Amino acid sequence: MYKILNLKIIALFFAMLNLVNSSTFAESVAQFESNVINKYYKTSLTDRYENDGTNQEVALKIASFIEKNPQSFRYPFKQLLDKNLLSLNYSPDRKLKFYTLNVSAGGSMREFESYVQFKQGEKVITHALHDGGFIKAIRQTQLNTVPTYLISRVYIGSGCVGQYSIQANQIKNAHYKSVSIFKTKTKALDQINVSYDCNYYPKNIEPFDMDRYYIRVSQDTKNIDILMIKPSGELTRNYLRYQKTKNGYQYIGTVK
């Protein structure tokens, strides 16, 4: 009887300890978030604000914090999102969390740094990504029974020109890696880019949705269509279609 009671007391103690620790962790992330906003947030984002290196400093602090604090994986960072100091995207299965940070240093060109977090067992892994674009959306499909993530990005070269892209990634041996699943007539690619020029934007599409006009992904992820553009920059009505197979996306021809 006494042994049973002692075991129950011990179990209750550890349960309470876990609760306290969880609360402490959540509090520490919230405190970090508040500290960043109190120190760096300015209501008016000016060129001077960027040239002073504030963007890069904020990015370094957030990157360092999430790498050292695995509890950040579950934290929503709502205040940083509201202040536009951070952008977050999640994979549909919620197993990948993407952080995108503005590190622009003035001028019309936009530069970004991104990080991805995911769990392997009880361990949270944080990887720095070196793609430089702004992550717009994450889609997910299965290839050879392996979850495959389709990352949509925007690369902003100036106020009017840049690239839209779609990249394929998987988790392999606890590493986040790009995979060459887009098969053209001659080679396999892990990423497809299409350049844009806002002078040729169609008038009936909102600028925020333009990436989905240039690169169409069907809701069931069966087809990925890439807009064909003339050398002059003028848009056509035709798309290059990549259709899903068991182990990738095969180019099958053009569609409207």
Side-chain angles (χ1 to χ4, degrees), residues 11 29 64 95 107 119 129-130 138 153 156 160 183 202 204 238 249 255:
V29 185
S64 176
K95 290 184 177 180
K119 289 188 74 174
L129 306 180
H130 303 288
I138 316 295
R153 287 186 178 85
I156 304 173
C160 199
K183 299 172 182 178
N204 60 332
N238 299 319
Y249 283 83
V255 295

Side-chain angles (χ1 to χ4, degrees), residues 19-154:
L19 186 61
V20 170
N21 285 339
S22 298
S23 177
T24 302
F25 284 154
E27 210 172 311
S28 68
V29 185
Q31 188 59 57
F32 166 79
E33 183 180 36
S34 295
N35 289 342
V36 170
I37 290 170
N38 292 337
K39 183 173 182 180
Y40 294 105
Y41 179 69
K42 297 180 181 180
T43 55
S44 178
L45 183 62
T46 64
D47 283 343
R48 178 54 189 263
Y49 179 66
E50 292 190 352
N51 289 332
D52 283 344
T54 304
N55 284 342
Q56 185 67 68
E57 194 172 339
V58 171
L60 285 172
K61 284 193 175 294
I62 293 175
S64 176
F65 183 84
I66 64 175
E67 287 174 340
K68 295 174 182 175
N69 294 271
Q71 67 272 22
S72 59
F73 181 65
R74 297 297 181 193
Y75 189 79
F77 290 101
K78 188 176 185 304
Q79 291 186 73
L80 290 176
L81 295 178
D82 289 344
K83 301 296 186 184
N84 292 320
L85 291 174
L86 173 67
S87 175
L88 290 180
N89 284 279
Y90 295 86
S91 59
D93 60 9
R94 306 293 288 189
K95 290 184 177 180
L96 300 184
K97 181 180 184 181
F98 294 83
Y99 299 76
T100 300
L101 298 148
N102 179 8
V103 293
S104 304
S108 58
M109 181 177 177
R110 302 285 86 190
E111 297 180 87
F112 303 93
E113 288 181 357
S114 295
Y115 297 82
V116 62
Q117 279 184 324
F118 55 93
K119 289 188 74 174
Q120 289 287 291
E122 293 303 312
K123 185 179 181 182
V124 173
I125 297 173
T126 302
H127 275 333
L129 306 180
H130 303 288
D131 303 285
F134 180 79
I135 296 176
K136 284 287 300 284
I138 316 295
R139 297 175 181 88
Q140 183 175 340
T141 191
Q142 293 277 119
L143 296 176
N144 285 327
T145 72
V146 178
T148 303
Y149 304 96
L150 304 171
I151 317 301
S152 294
R153 287 186 178 85
V154 181

